[in-house]
Amino acid sequence: MIRPVSHRLLLRYGVLAAAAALVCTSCSGSGGNAAQSLASAAASTSAAASSSAAPSADPLDAAAIKAAMKKATAVHAKGSDGGTTFDMQINRDSVSGSIEKDGAVVPLVRVGDKVWIKFTRGMAKISGRPAGARSPLDDKWVSMDSPMTQGFGEELKLFLDFDVFVSGMASEIDQPGFGTGQPADVAGTFALRYENDSTTVFIEAVEPHRVLRLESPKQGTMEFSGWDQPVPVQAPPAAEIYSGPGS
């Protein structure tokens, strides 16, 4: 059974914590704390209201929105919680994208049930490696099934599972206290803006009413586009996959 993962857990304890812990463990020899909270983000500026577009405001129809999300085949997701951002194409059978933390970019790929992350030189900063020091992992893709991941790979795989990701987004729609929608514009798309005490949700104003944006002063921002537009993803070339000690 796939266990539900909320938007908060996705940003705070999922792919970000797993990647950061793996970097610290592999490159500096010190253990990472996979449960360490990340810095909260300031609330993003709300989308500007559209004067001519969206239909009259209605209560949030959570059931219809969740049903549309669960039928989807793909989505492009971008998010930030302050010091960490991610940008990923999430298909049902694959994922590609990157995480950036403190200026260090971590590319990642999932194909089927296999996941890899790429060790870039920029990761030296967050791993505590001395400037200019090299590692056999540099510019190599590392399998999240390898012993060196010390179990963090499972958290990463969970985050990159399409159904788990969508369920996490759906859990935000289930929160109580949303008022009626107000007309808004999200990157040129007519939308309805709903708010409660902790979250602002932007929904497509027309069917199938997909989620376009989530904002939270404490948890950060997530943006969604390209629903039902899968982008092909390929596994890293064998020559670029790390095969040294610990692999």
Side-chain angles (χ1 to χ4, degrees), residues 123-134:
M123 294 168 75
K125 180 178 179 181
I126 59 175
S127 68
R129 229 196 306 166
R134 296 194 62 85

Side-chain angles (χ1 to χ4, degrees), residues 48-57 182-186 188-192 204-206:
S50 169
S51 60
S52 61
S56 300
Q182 300 299 317
D185 178 276
V186 178
T189 298
F190 300 144
L192 290 174
E204 278 183 316
V206 297

Side-chain angles (χ1 to χ4, degrees), residues 102-211:
D102 298 332
V105 178
V106 184
L108 54 87
V109 167
R110 175 177 76 85
V111 176
D113 63 352
K114 301 295 183 181
V115 177
W116 299 265
I117 70 170
K118 189 172 186 178
F119 276 66
T120 58
R121 293 298 303 277
M123 294 168 75
K125 180 178 179 181
I126 59 175
S127 68
R129 229 196 306 166
R134 296 194 62 85
S135 164
L137 296 175
D138 286 343
D139 297 321
K140 292 289 187 179
W141 290 93
V142 175
S143 169
M144 297 306 289
D145 290 324
S146 65
M148 68 190 302
T149 66
Q150 299 185 1
F152 296 126
E154 293 307 312
E155 292 186 53
L156 189 57
K157 288 182 179 182
L158 194 65
F159 179 82
L160 299 179
D161 182 284
F162 185 89
D163 288 330
V164 171
F165 189 90
V166 168
S167 293
M169 301 308 100
S171 71
E172 295 298 312
I173 309 301
D174 267 339
Q175 293 184 54
F178 284 110
T180 56
Q182 300 299 317
D185 178 276
V186 178
T189 298
F190 300 144
L192 290 174
R193 179 175 179 268
Y194 296 88
E195 290 185 88
N196 64 11
D197 291 339
S198 62
T199 306
T200 302
V201 182
F202 295 85
I203 306 293
E204 278 183 316
V206 297
E207 291 184 353
H209 305 302
R210 296 271 170 74
V211 178

